[in-house]
Amino acid sequence: MDPQQLISETLETWATERPDLNFEAMGVGLKLDIIATTTMGQASDKIADLGINLGEFDVLATLRRNGKNGVLTPTEIASAAMVSPSGLTHRLTQLEKMGHIIRQNDPNDRRSSRVRLTPQGRKIADQAIERISQHATQLVSSFSADEVEALNTVLDKVLAMISQTITAP
């Protein structure tokens, strides 16, 4: 079903069932969800032949863009990639098996380790970010510069509101 039609039908049926509620904001949320789900799926498809998934790419990209020579602690990776430490452990194990990273003991802290991007991991990260960046550019290519700026402004406001709810007690 066409996403616009799905959203319209969802909102119409809810409005019939619950005319006492306003579903306009829910429509915005449904649109954002469909956009995010679809674009993430498309990005995943763009890198699938590299042998990594989006979660693994996220780790490689974090190391590639933040790493001091491609080296970070798992805690730093988890924070930058917005992933839980337990979720990160599986990704690190998979990437290590593939030869994209090396885990080493931290010489300054025996309780911690450092994760190093290998030359192969750097190459995969670069190939993946090129594909994902090109795909993102294609997605907004039919927008004017003013439309992209307006969209970014609105999305920044949404993110700010979400950030407030996450940090609020």
Side-chain angles (χ1 to χ4, degrees), residues 83-134:
V83 63
S84 70
S86 60
L88 179 63
T89 300
H90 177 70
R91 293 177 188 181
L92 293 177
T93 300
Q94 293 304 111
L95 289 167
E96 190 172 36
K97 286 179 185 176
M98 289 184 253
H100 298 321
I101 63 162
I102 298 171
R103 287 190 266 194
Q104 302 168 319
N105 291 332
D106 187 336
N108 301 321
D109 184 354
R110 300 176 104 194
R111 298 167 295 161
S112 186
S113 64
R114 292 183 177 181
V115 180
R116 177 180 303 278
L117 193 61
T118 65
Q120 178 184 338
R122 182 184 176 104
K123 180 180 175 183
I124 294 294
D126 284 344
Q127 289 174 342
I129 194 61
E130 288 167 13
R131 293 176 185 189
I132 290 171
S133 176
Q134 288 169 355

Side-chain angles (χ1 to χ4, degrees), residues 34-76:
I34 289 171
I35 291 167
T37 302
T38 302
T39 56
M40 296 304 282
Q42 291 170 341
S44 181
D45 292 345
K46 297 286 182 193
I47 64 171
D49 68 318
L50 297 174
I52 59 172
N53 62 37
L54 280 178
E56 293 158 349
F57 164 72
D58 203 16
V59 172
L60 294 177
T62 298
L63 286 166
R64 177 70 174 92
R65 67 185 168 84
N66 287 323
K68 305 148 199 103
N69 296 319
V71 180
L72 291 172
T73 66
T75 301
E76 291 169 326

Side-chain angles (χ1 to χ4, degrees), residues 7 11 23-36 158:
I7 292 168
L11 298 178
F23 293 102
E24 186 175 9
M26 188 173 138
V28 172
L30 288 170
K31 289 174 187 176
L32 290 172
D33 183 51
I34 289 171
I35 291 167
V158 172

Side-chain angles (χ1 to χ4, degrees), residues 132-149 151:
I132 290 171
S133 176
Q134 288 169 355
H135 177 65
T137 299
Q138 268 185 313
L139 287 173
V140 297
S141 65
S142 65
F143 297 172
S144 70
D146 288 344
E147 288 172 325
V148 171
E149 184 179 347
L151 179 59

